[in-house]
Amino acid sequence: MSRLAEEFLIAAAQKSADLTHRATIKRNVDSYDTAVAKGKLRFADWEAARTYAARVKGEAVSNLAPLLEEFERKIVARGGHVYWAETADDARQYICDVARKNNVKTVVKSKSMVTEEIHLLPALEKLGIKVWETDLGELIVQLRNEPPYHIVTPAMHLTREQIRDLFQQKLPDDMNGESHQELVAAARRFLRRAFFAAEMGISGANFLVADAGMVAISTNEGNGRLTTSLPRVHVVVTGIEKVIPRLEDLGVLWPVLATSGTGQPITTYSTLIGGPRAEGEVDGPEEFHVVLLDNGRTEVLADEEQQELLRCIRCGACLNKCPVYRSVGGHAFNTTYPGPIGSALTPIVNGMKDWGHLSYACSLCTACDSVCPVKIKLSGHLLENRRKYVSEGDAKTSEKVGFSVFRWATAGPRRFALLGWFGRKITRAALAIGMSPHALGPLASWTKYRAMPDVPKDSFRALWEKNDGNF
Amino acid sequence: MATSNAGRERILARIRKARGHEASAAGAAEAIFPLIPDPMQRFLAECEANLTRVHRAVSNVQSAAILSQIVSELPAGAIYVEDDPVLRRLCVSIEERKILLSSEGRAPEDCVATLTLCDGLVAQTGSILTSSRHGGRGGSIVAPTHIVYATTDQLLPDVTSALRLAARDTERASYIGLISGSSRTADIEKILVQGAHGPVRVDIILEQR
Ligand code: SF4
């Protein structure tokens, strides 16, 4: 087992036993579920909306090259710069160069998972640049020195009391009470100074619209608007898969993203930005850069089976629905993107050997498949990853042998009966001589938290016949 | 600064090598949302849900009176106004306030309200369609109160029609946006709080046309 797999198991076991964590997540997810159920009623046909969204994103994934070129052409025509970054390192380097050339001392950043993916903050801070997260949830986790817990709600795991204590310690001058409103007001006061002082704003993108040549950004707080309006330089960092063909597609994608993300009809600020301040405009940045990141995405694209993962619009719905995510929390995964989508993508992008274990952090309940607004068959991808993980040789020998026996036995009723008979015999004998169930191979993890039931003498089939099908 | 780099060709080559699935263009969006039989009624209902205040007026004079009323509820401080003849006329009603026009520069950090026009109103979501031509990017986000002057003939049925209208503007404006209510967050325990970073209050003066 890889070190990362072991760490995952330990973190997962700890988190799932943490009752406060469970209660916090349950409260959050319950209110999310209610909002989403209500939000879906605004559609005449939610399934048609999913089909439409899946088709638009599918069309884009199949036509990435011409769409990205069209997008680039339009941005450059408005005086913006487009940089194609092959790796995280490339992207970091470019953004650091832009910051250095502009003599940047403070950066305000709106929420972007891609900046997490490329570890941008430490790189900028190494240059002596102060970076402030401006999304409230992101600011909270930044002040706690930890990564976001969820791709849409970064501080989902914290209670108001924990946030109050944090602000009291870190933002004492801006604190003026401890209600939800007053905590938000404290962050507002604190960040306002940052917005007006910053020389550079960094944002992600929800969509890149090819025919309009504009970047679409959705936020509720307006932090994205301030980040992209006030500083002299604006840098957008985003994955190449974010491109969509037409502006009009947002007529469906915006409501679908908002409904799946938070249950809202549309995000408060649904914004399109096409470049630096244009002639005749009173404000806006003087420099505008878009960094288009590959970082393993073309590898996903090269896999015909799995390329549909690039349709993901990062709505977070699959995380909220996933029973594993809800028990072990976002941090146990130790990945930029946790939950089903992260478990599907990370092993492909970062290596099966180190990350393949995440494909097993799934009960195959398929709840994620049923909520994904772009109809990605997440459970299928997790299974596919398991197959690769085993065939690429990192599974335990005992597991391989076990499953070959199982496969052999389930191929015919007689074999199955024989294996059952043999299994019952061995287990009964082992327990009879006082062996602990914890020592019994696959039973070990099952009996860790549960009592071992008595092993019956007879098979299910024998009991069925004896009782004439009546139990 | 480079707009084309070595990585560009390599990334594009890798993309071209991958075999995309033949994806048909998305079908019609018509069946996805219910029909909106009465756009004005829907717009008003959505604004109420968004916590946007809509003030109906039947004339310029009434609009000016409404503006004066809204402004009287605000704390002392300057009001930033999009420089437009219609808005200048409206502002006569708030002569006692300090007015800063967009032609004089960007919205200052400490203005208490901004007053702008918009490109359209969206019934489906109670949104305001705006762009950087209306008081710049800051005109709709910097101050704690954003007042929009609009006319009923600007009402559009849905987001798709707003995007069709916006498409005509993409060459001229560096920013286009749909604003659906006041700035808000639910990042702390999913409890909704208004006024995270942008306006706490959005008022639309909607004049009959
Ligand atoms: S995989 Fe689907 S449900 Fe999960 S975040 Fe992406 S779009 Fe949302």
Side-chain angles (χ1 to χ4, degrees):
Chain A
M1 199 189 294
S2 74
R3 183 182 53 80
L4 288 164
E6 268 172 51
E7 283 174 10
F8 172 73
L9 287 178
I10 295 168
Q14 268 169 2
K15 257 297 158 259
S16 44
D18 177 344
L19 296 182
T20 318
H21 171 260
R22 276 186 180 232
T24 311
I25 298 310
K26 187 173 179 321
R27 194 176 47 228
N28 271 309
V29 175
D30 283 353
S31 74
Y32 166 86
D33 283 345
T34 315
V36 172
K38 221 171 115 200
K40 283 182 182 165
L41 297 177
R42 299 175 61 94
F43 290 78
D45 188 342
W46 173 247
E47 282 312 306
R50 285 177 81 208
T51 306
Y52 182 95
R55 283 221 196 122
V56 171
K57 288 291 292 184
E59 181 191 350
V61 171
S62 295
N63 294 289
L64 277 189
L67 292 175
L68 287 167
E69 285 170 311
E70 187 182 2
F71 170 79
E72 179 190 39
R73 235 185 350 263
K74 301 247 158 122
I75 294 282
V76 171
R78 284 199 209 89
H81 305 279
V82 177
Y83 182 82
W84 301 64
E86 288 188 276
T87 60
D89 197 39
D90 249 6
R92 268 195 316 262
Q93 205 74 47
Y94 180 80
I95 300 164
C96 286
D97 279 352
V98 173
R100 249 193 311 249
K101 278 184 198 142
N102 283 286
N103 207 6
V104 170
K105 293 185 188 63
T106 313
V107 167
V108 277
K109 190 179 135 313
S110 74
K111 195 167 163 348
S112 142
M113 292 308 291
V114 171
T115 56
E116 292 291 328
E117 179 184 331
I118 64 171
H119 303 293
L120 182 62
L121 260 65
L124 286 166
E125 287 182 342
K126 237 193 220 155
L127 298 177
I129 297 169
K130 187 70 221 161
V131 186
W132 288 114
E133 294 286 357
T134 61
D135 171 85
L136 178 59
E138 290 277 350
L139 174 71
I140 293 167
V141 292
Q142 181 185 29
L143 293 175
R144 281 171 62 91
N145 257 326
E146 61 183 28
Y149 177 92
H150 186 282
I151 60 178
V152 175
T153 321
M156 195 194 217
H157 57 311
L158 299 173
T159 60
R160 180 178 62 88
E161 290 74 23
Q162 286 170 302
I163 296 164
R164 172 202 63 200
D165 294 348
L166 177 77
F167 280 11
Q168 254 156 11
Q169 203 195 341
K170 306 273 182 169
L171 316 174
D173 299 344
D174 296 299
M175 283 284 280
N176 197 4
E178 52 182 61
S179 66
H180 291 90
Q181 279 80 0
E182 284 158 338
L183 291 176
V184 172
R188 179 184 175 120
R189 275 191 286 275
F190 174 75
L191 284 172
R192 231 165 141 84
R193 295 194 291 275
F195 279 125
F196 282 91
E199 298 89 3
M200 181 163 156
I202 298 178
S203 73
N206 292 92
F207 303 100
L208 306 171
V209 188
D211 71 347
M214 295 186 109
V215 176
I217 302 173
S218 301
T219 74
N220 279 319
E221 297 179 5
N223 62 314
R225 297 269 330 267
L226 289 164
T227 300
T228 58
S229 301
L230 298 175
R232 215 177 61 70
V233 184
H234 173 201
V235 180
V236 181
V237 206
T238 180
I240 50 173
E241 81 285 9
K242 290 285 169 98
V243 75
I244 56 166
R246 297 159 295 263
L247 192 60
E248 256 184 64
D249 296 330
L250 292 175
V252 177
L253 288 177
W254 267 343
V256 162
L257 173 65
T259 301
S260 298
T262 54
Q264 287 170 278
I266 191 165
T267 335
T268 308
Y269 299 102
S270 301
T271 300
L272 294 155
I273 296 170
R277 166 185 185 172
E279 226 185 276
E281 289 180 353
V282 297
D283 57 8
E286 289 158 32
E287 259 186 49
F288 177 72
H289 302 258
V290 181
V291 179
L292 296 174
L293 181 71
D294 178 350
N295 202 31
R297 286 163 174 79
T298 48
E299 237 157 274
V300 182
L301 186 70
D303 186 322
E304 247 180 88
E305 291 293 314
Q306 299 202 296
Q307 64 173 229
E308 68 166 30
L309 287 167
L310 296 178
R311 295 205 299 244
C312 173
I313 55 172
R314 307 277 188 261
C315 69
C318 58
L319 280 61
N320 297 332
K321 261 287 169 279
C322 175
V324 175
Y325 179 89
R326 286 159 84 142
S327 316
V328 310
H331 289 148
F333 289 82
N334 196 15
T335 50
T336 307
Y337 307 100
I341 182 65
S343 298
L345 269 179
T346 316
I348 311 176
V349 177
N350 297 355
M352 198 53 78
K353 199 166 162 15
D354 284 337
W355 297 99
H357 62 274
L358 291 181
S359 324
Y360 295 86
C362 165
S363 63
L364 295 179
C365 71
T366 70
C368 50
D369 299 352
S370 66
V371 294
C372 177
V374 285
K375 293 192 163 180
I376 300 175
K377 290 253 171 351
L378 287 152
S379 61
H381 293 287
L382 291 169
L383 271 179
E384 176 64 14
N385 281 357
R386 289 185 194 185
R387 196 184 57 70
K388 284 188 186 154
Y389 184 58
V390 172
S391 66
E392 285 170 22
D394 216 54
K396 280 191 274 181
T397 320
S398 57
E399 204 177 318
K400 282 190 187 172
V401 172
F403 275 101
S404 327
V405 172
F406 184 73
R407 190 167 56 192
W408 173 83
T410 49
R414 277 172 197 284
R415 297 175 184 187
F416 189 75
L418 184 68
L419 182 77
W421 173 82
F422 192 64
R424 280 193 308 280
K425 273 254 176 288
I426 293 215
T427 315
R428 285 171 64 86
L431 294 174
I433 59 167
M435 260 176 91
S436 149
H438 300 314
L440 292 175
L443 288 182
S445 12
W446 173 256
T447 53
K448 207 163 155 192
Y449 298 109
R450 301 167 187 87
M452 175 78 189
D454 288 338
V455 183
K457 258 197 209 133
D458 296 322
S459 69
F460 177 75
R461 193 200 305 233
L463 289 171
W464 181 276
E465 272 165 17
K466 201 158 97 192
N467 292 321
D468 223 9
N470 296 316
F471 282 91
Chain B
M1 199 61 62
T3 48
S4 129
N5 53 305
R8 177 185 194 274
E9 295 317 313
R10 285 196 291 267
I11 293 173
L12 281 170
R14 283 200 293 273
I15 294 176
R16 290 198 188 98
K17 222 173 98 196
R19 244 175 52 118
H21 293 290
E22 252 342 288
S24 51
E30 273 82 56
I32 293 176
F33 298 107
L35 279 176
I36 300 172
D38 182 346
M40 183 51 77
Q41 189 205 357
R42 173 73 178 263
F43 177 72
L44 296 173
E46 294 295 333
C47 283
E48 201 180 323
N50 280 343
L51 307 171
T52 299
R53 303 175 212 204
V54 183
H55 312 265
R56 314 271 317 250
V58 289
S59 68
N60 243 226
V61 179
Q62 201 183 357
S63 293
I66 292 167
L67 175 65
S68 163
Q69 175 60 37
I70 296 170
V71 167
S72 72
E73 295 163 14
L74 301 176
I79 296 176
Y80 179 81
V81 178
E82 176 183 345
D83 195 355
D84 175 271
V86 175
L87 296 185
R88 276 181 181 240
R89 272 202 302 279
L90 275 190
C91 284
V92 175
S93 68
I94 51 169
E95 252 169 358
E96 74 286 5
R97 300 291 289 229
K98 183 168 183 209
I99 306 270
L100 301 164
L101 290 172
S102 61
S103 52
E104 298 162 23
R106 72 181 203 177
E109 188 177 341
D110 56 357
C111 57
V112 294
T114 57
L115 169 64
T116 69
L117 300 169
C118 68
D119 290 312
L121 302 169
V122 186
Q124 184 191 6
T125 47
S127 312
I128 300 157
L129 174 67
T130 181
S131 74
S132 39
R133 294 184 298 126
H134 298 301
R137 298 191 195 190
S140 52
I141 192 75
V142 164
T145 297
H146 179 203
I147 309 162
V148 178
Y149 170 79
T151 48
T152 47
D153 55 359
Q154 286 187 294
L155 188 64
L156 301 157
D158 52 21
V159 177
T160 304
S161 1
L163 288 161
R164 277 187 198 136
L165 183 67
R168 296 193 218 148
D169 235 5
T170 55
E171 304 293 327
R172 290 187 296 157
S174 70
Y175 149 80
I176 295 169
L178 279 180
I179 300 174
S180 316
S182 53
S183 157
R184 63 197 53 202
T185 182
D187 273 355
I188 305 178
E189 295 181 335
K190 287 261 170 212
I191 304 287
L192 187 74
V193 176
Q194 268 187 280
H197 297 295
V200 185
R201 176 174 171 177
V202 179
D203 286 84
I204 301 174
I205 302 173
L206 182 55
E207 199 175 291
Q208 192 65 43
R209 238 342 116 73

